[in-house]
Amino acid sequence: MISARRRYLVLPPLTVLIAAVSCSSPGDVAVPSPKGEAARYCRALHTQLPRTVDGLERGDAEPVSDFTAMWGDPAVKLRCGVPKPDVLTYGSEHYNPDAEAAEVNGVQWLFEKQDDGYRFTTVLRKAYVEVTVPGKYAPEVNVLTDLARAVGRTVPAGV
């Protein structure tokens, strides 16, 4: 068994406040970095994304990217070209044989409960598309009905 030691860094209160404010913008979306075919599929998806999902208006994700989008406040966030989710990796200690997936309008989605809402990730597609939905919008799966058409048209089925 490996023993871990924790070290604590004491920062001045202003530094902590600045860090908290800079990390909490509702429009911040971590930008993935897909390559090759996946990047092309993601760019195509970006042009086909709807103006609204589940009645929520599209906003401006920061930083601006062809691989991200968002709707509403708190934001429903989409990221295209994310890595394969750990729960889908066979032979990994993180593999979950009970991983739950469902089909919505012809697109298969893995769904994972988060602290506040769900994270949905496409499966059996040439690029992984991840959508995080805050619990405020329960049932969270409703946003997928508005996104499935664009995903189905632009990100081919396959692995």
Side-chain angles (χ1 to χ4, degrees):
M1 183 168 166
I2 298 174
S3 175
R5 295 176 72 184
R6 292 187 180 166
R7 292 186 178 177
Y8 296 95
L9 178 62
V10 178
L11 297 173
L14 182 58
T15 304
V16 174
L17 178 62
I18 291 170
V21 170
S22 67
C23 294
S24 63
S25 174
D28 287 349
V29 181
V31 178
S33 52
K35 305 286 185 239
E37 280 187 336
R40 287 191 294 282
Y41 299 141
C42 291
R43 286 186 183 98
L45 173 61
H46 193 263
T47 67
Q48 297 295 309
L49 291 171
R51 288 291 321 147
T52 61
V53 296
D54 199 28
L56 303 169
E57 291 291 321
R58 188 161 172 185
D60 296 322
E62 291 294 331
V64 174
S65 169
D66 287 344
F67 306 133
T68 61
M70 60 168 276
W71 296 263
D73 185 13
V76 169
K77 298 177 181 180
L78 178 144
R79 301 182 332 124
C80 186
V82 297
K84 182 178 185 176
D86 287 343
V87 298
L88 297 177
T89 304
Y90 293 95
S92 166
E93 64 188 62
H94 301 290
Y95 173 67
N96 176 0
D98 298 320
E100 298 183 68
E103 183 176 309
V104 178
N105 293 348
V107 177
Q108 290 279 341
W109 299 87
L110 167 73
F111 53 97
E112 300 172 275
K113 180 73 175 123
Q114 304 291 290
D115 289 340
D116 177 33
Y118 277 85
R119 176 175 53 217
F120 302 98
T121 309
T122 57
V123 294
L124 306 175
R125 296 272 159 186
K126 296 284 186 176
Y128 292 98
V129 179
E130 173 190 278
V131 179
T132 55
V133 184
K136 175 181 178 177
Y137 304 121
E140 294 89 339
V141 72
N142 285 352
V143 303
L144 301 181
T145 59
D146 294 327
L147 294 171
R149 184 175 184 180
V151 171
R153 285 182 172 179
T154 59
V155 182
V159 287

